[in-house]
Amino acid sequence: MGKEKIKNILFTVAYNGANYSGWQRQGNSVGVQEIIEDAIFNAIGQKVEIFGSGRTDAGVHAVGQTFNTLLFFEKVNKLPLAINCYLPNDIRIMSAKTVPNDFHARYSAHSKTYIYNLCISQIESPFDYQTCEYIKYDLDIKAMQKGASFLVGKHNFKAFCSANTTVTDFEREIYSFSVIKIGGKIKFEVCGSGFLYNMVRIMVGTLVDVGRGKIRAEEILDIIKSQNRQNAGKTMPARGLCLKCVKY
Amino acid sequence: MGKEKIKNILFTVAYNGANYSGWQRQGNSVGVQEIIEDAIFNAIGQKVEIFGSGRTDAGVHAVGQTFNTLLFFEKVNKLPLAINCYLPNDIRIMSAKTVPNDFHARYSAHSKTYIYNLCISQIESPFDYQTCEYIKYDLDIKAMQKGASFLVGKHNFKAFCSANTTVTDFEREIYSFSVIKIGGKIKFEVCGSGFLYNMVRIMVGTLVDVGRGKIRAEEILDIIKSQNRQNAGKTMPARGLCLKCVKY
């Protein structure tokens, strides 16, 4: 190990969050971060802290979560297979690459993209009930697409942030927000500079209210202006949410 | 209950077989059949035996397994939701309808269709590792399609039957056998009059040998003729197999 230089390594990781407390440990329930740190130790004998692009909540999934950490390791491209040997089936390292020393998975991020999966059906499928939220009534897609367009841009998103937060700056920028229907499934895909606590789940809950006709698409603007969480829709369940990618 | 007539009811059921011993109980591991019988009892208070279209093995899935049973129940279309309340998330009754008294889910079946899902990747996805078999090397799709065409028709399939069987008539008819590739996934879909024990998994294992170039597509004919299990490919793992539908 003496002649190897320490490297800052950026990893991408996919996980089914159904069985975890989220990225971080919560009380007695284990977090994805801790499991990965243990797997790195078991694979290459180095005890490290890993730095995620952000936390995901209990039950939330990822196909492209990122984290960085400092390691002594020559063949970086061998790391995913080596670490995966010590991970449970529902967490997989997908890639690893060396990045500059000042790179940080959270602070260097330019944008994040989340998907929310919704299925319109009376009966939940035994194959996707962990990764899809179910709704029994049909939704007006055009109205939701219009509603989503009002969320795009730089706004104060305090109305779309869980009251349970310590953040004081509520300004974020949404770069794009698409709503598409394929068969009985509706996929929300939102890309932004960053997101407040529960922001994606509250935005989708508000769009579902638009889709049901409880509020008009234009009212989204009033909700943004109000900066009042009470005016937005409910926080959608965790299982439908998935962190798609983090761009640098 | 006195004035209600007993009805023969045909159900379709979907299940993720990962956590079960298969359709039937095996030793200490619980079977899907038993769980459904318990749920029917809990939902409507009638203790019944259900008759499946056939058994599925431990770890094998179904989107359209069928079973029939005799019940006193007026509103048959209400049965799926009533029974689903007492089923775990990975088993769902999808439909129920009244059928003639002499109908039997197994003996009345005209054909069954199975899917085998194979994914070509170095890294298994945390989202489908229960429902997809993984393979690390690429396969020649055209050769496998040609190989599959030799399996279509009426043949003695003894070479494609697990030695562990009590069956004495090995003749079955395959109506169609398609092999398609979508992205990194290969889907085998086979429809036939019926299947011997492990027959689909052994046929797919033999086609994988064709796809790897270990045997030529034409050799499938020699394997059929040999009626010798040793000449066919390996039995593919259960997780990739799914009973798609049973036709009557």
Side-chain angles (χ1 to χ4, degrees):
Chain A
M1 223 166 79
K3 53 186 174 175
E4 284 167 36
K5 270 176 67 184
I6 199 160
K7 287 174 185 161
N8 190 12
I9 301 171
L10 172 66
F11 293 84
T12 58
V13 57
Y15 48 87
N16 178 334
N19 299 316
Y20 301 101
S21 66
W23 181 252
Q24 285 203 316
R25 167 179 277 280
Q26 299 276 345
N28 288 326
S29 190
V30 71
V32 174
Q33 176 186 343
E34 184 179 347
I35 290 182
I36 295 171
E37 287 168 349
D38 288 349
I40 291 174
F41 181 75
N42 288 324
I44 63 171
Q46 293 174 46
K47 201 155 183 63
V48 293
E49 183 179 0
I50 65 173
F51 305 100
S53 76
R55 301 171 192 173
T56 53
D57 278 340
V60 172
H61 315 288
V63 292
Q65 166 70 304
T66 55
F67 65 87
N68 72 297
T69 191
L70 298 167
L71 291 177
F72 292 97
F73 201 80
E74 192 60 33
K75 293 180 175 165
V76 172
N77 63 336
K78 303 251 179 187
L79 279 169
L81 286 175
I83 300 168
N84 282 337
C85 289
Y86 295 93
L87 284 170
N89 284 324
D90 51 8
I91 304 177
R92 288 290 104 173
I93 303 289
M94 304 306 284
S95 70
K97 66 171 182 181
T98 308
V99 287
N101 284 343
D102 62 351
F103 180 98
H104 188 287
R106 181 169 173 199
Y107 303 115
S108 307
H110 282 312
S111 74
K112 279 187 183 180
T113 303
Y114 280 93
I115 303 269
Y116 197 91
N117 291 304
L118 202 58
C119 191
I120 312 289
S121 174
Q122 295 295 318
I123 301 176
E124 299 192 6
S125 159
F127 298 103
D128 67 8
Y129 65 91
Q130 289 185 328
T131 54
C132 197
E133 172 60 11
Y134 277 75
I135 220 164
K136 290 192 164 60
Y137 37 82
D138 211 357
L139 298 171
D140 180 340
I141 298 294
K142 287 228 166 105
M144 292 198 294
Q145 287 167 335
K146 191 173 171 186
S149 74
F150 291 117
L151 291 161
V152 175
K154 200 179 272 185
H155 303 287
N156 179 312
F157 283 100
K158 193 176 178 186
F160 297 88
C161 177
S162 168
N164 182 19
T165 184
T166 54
V167 168
T168 52
D169 175 12
F170 296 95
E171 192 176 271
R172 296 290 184 277
E173 185 168 2
I174 302 287
Y175 302 127
S176 64
F177 202 147
S178 69
V179 185
I180 56 167
K181 189 172 183 182
I182 304 166
K185 300 202 169 184
I186 299 173
K187 189 172 93 171
F188 300 81
E189 181 164 337
V190 56
C191 174
S193 60
F195 296 91
L196 299 163
Y197 188 48
N198 282 346
M199 181 171 155
V200 178
R201 289 158 63 184
I202 297 169
M203 290 193 297
V204 172
T206 308
L207 291 177
V208 167
D209 283 347
V210 171
R212 294 175 73 174
K214 277 179 69 178
I215 60 172
R216 285 175 300 114
E218 294 79 2
E219 288 179 65
I220 299 261
L221 283 173
D222 303 328
I223 296 169
I224 294 173
K225 274 184 204 140
S226 77
Q227 298 185 20
N228 183 349
R229 170 71 188 90
Q230 304 280 315
N231 294 328
K234 71 162 193 171
T235 304
M236 295 292 283
R239 65 175 175 170
L241 189 61
C242 182
L243 175 54
K244 185 185 177 188
C245 62
V246 184
K247 291 262 171 71
Y248 295 98
Chain B
M1 222 165 81
K3 53 185 175 178
E4 285 169 32
K5 272 176 64 183
I6 200 160
K7 288 173 184 158
N8 189 13
I9 301 172
L10 173 65
F11 292 84
T12 58
V13 57
Y15 48 86
N16 178 333
N19 299 315
Y20 301 102
S21 65
W23 181 252
Q24 287 204 316
R25 168 179 274 282
Q26 298 277 347
N28 288 326
S29 190
V30 69
V32 174
Q33 176 185 342
E34 183 178 348
I35 289 182
I36 295 172
E37 287 169 349
D38 289 349
I40 292 174
F41 180 74
N42 289 323
I44 62 171
Q46 293 174 45
K47 202 155 181 66
V48 294
E49 184 180 358
I50 66 173
F51 304 100
S53 76
R55 301 170 192 175
T56 53
D57 278 339
V60 172
H61 316 288
V63 293
Q65 165 72 302
T66 55
F67 65 88
N68 71 298
T69 190
L70 298 166
L71 291 177
F72 291 99
F73 201 79
E74 193 58 34
K75 294 181 174 162
V76 172
N77 63 335
K78 303 251 178 187
L79 279 169
L81 286 176
I83 299 168
N84 283 337
C85 288
Y86 296 92
L87 284 171
N89 285 323
D90 53 7
I91 304 178
R92 289 289 101 174
I93 303 289
M94 303 308 282
S95 70
K97 67 171 183 180
T98 308
V99 287
N101 284 343
D102 61 350
F103 180 97
H104 188 288
R106 180 170 173 196
Y107 303 115
S108 306
H110 282 313
S111 74
K112 281 188 182 178
T113 303
Y114 280 93
I115 303 269
Y116 197 93
N117 291 305
L118 202 59
C119 191
I120 312 289
S121 174
Q122 295 295 318
I123 302 177
E124 299 192 7
S125 160
F127 298 103
D128 67 7
Y129 65 91
Q130 289 185 327
T131 55
C132 197
E133 172 60 13
Y134 277 74
I135 220 165
K136 291 192 163 64
Y137 37 83
D138 211 357
L139 298 171
D140 181 338
I141 298 293
K142 287 229 166 104
M144 292 198 294
Q145 287 166 336
K146 190 173 175 189
S149 74
F150 290 117
L151 291 161
V152 174
K154 200 180 273 186
H155 303 288
N156 179 312
F157 282 101
K158 192 174 179 186
F160 298 88
C161 178
S162 167
N164 181 18
T165 186
T166 54
V167 167
T168 53
D169 175 12
F170 296 95
E171 192 177 271
R172 296 291 182 277
E173 185 168 359
I174 301 287
Y175 302 127
S176 63
F177 202 146
S178 69
V179 184
I180 56 168
K181 188 171 183 182
I182 304 167
K185 297 200 171 187
I186 298 172
K187 190 172 92 171
F188 300 81
E189 182 166 337
V190 57
C191 174
S193 60
F195 296 92
L196 299 163
Y197 188 49
N198 282 345
M199 181 171 154
V200 178
R201 289 158 63 184
I202 298 169
M203 289 193 297
V204 173
T206 309
L207 291 176
V208 167
D209 283 347
V210 172
R212 294 175 74 172
K214 277 179 70 177
I215 59 171
R216 284 174 301 110
E218 294 78 4
E219 288 180 66
I220 298 264
L221 283 173
D222 303 327
I223 296 169
I224 294 173
K225 274 184 206 142
S226 78
Q227 298 185 20
N228 183 351
R229 170 70 189 89
Q230 304 280 315
N231 294 328
K234 71 162 190 170
T235 304
M236 295 292 283
R239 64 175 176 171
L241 189 62
C242 182
L243 174 54
K244 185 185 179 191
C245 62
V246 184
K247 292 261 170 71
Y248 296 99

